[in-house]
Amino acid sequence: MGAEDFGLFGRTEDKIPICMFWLGTVDPDQVKESQRSRKIIAALHSSQFLPVPEPTFKTGVTAMTAALLDLLSNPP
């Protein structure tokens, strides 16, 4: 995609804070091979995009839980 419109949600009259959370989903060996061969890895929204499910979900849930617990224990 050439652009992401998520940022527009935070520019409303209500000024509601937003956050975009980026999470790596590609097999590290595929990243190394891509760096070696200069072959481009399929990105999100591509029909060729193939995330590695288990470590992606584990990492995402762990990171988001830690962020939420931190936010709840340290309110602004």
Side-chain angles (χ1 to χ4, degrees):
M1 291 182 61
E4 181 63 62
D5 61 359
F6 178 78
L8 298 176
F9 294 133
R11 296 183 178 188
T12 63
E13 216 175 280
D14 299 330
K15 306 283 187 216
I16 299 170
I18 62 170
C19 175
M20 182 177 280
F21 188 86
W22 292 83
L23 177 66
T25 62
V26 179
D27 184 339
D29 291 335
Q30 188 179 4
V31 173
K32 288 178 190 172
E33 176 60 24
S34 172
Q35 290 170 336
R36 186 192 64 73
S37 68
R38 296 188 181 254
K39 183 180 177 189
I40 296 173
I41 298 172
L44 185 63
H45 304 296
S46 164
S47 63
Q48 302 298 309
F49 179 65
L50 185 61
V52 181
E54 186 177 346
T56 299
F57 290 132
K58 277 186 175 180
T59 301
V61 168
T62 300
M64 293 295 289
T65 301
L68 182 61
L69 288 173
D70 183 64
L71 181 65
L72 292 174
S73 65
N74 300 302

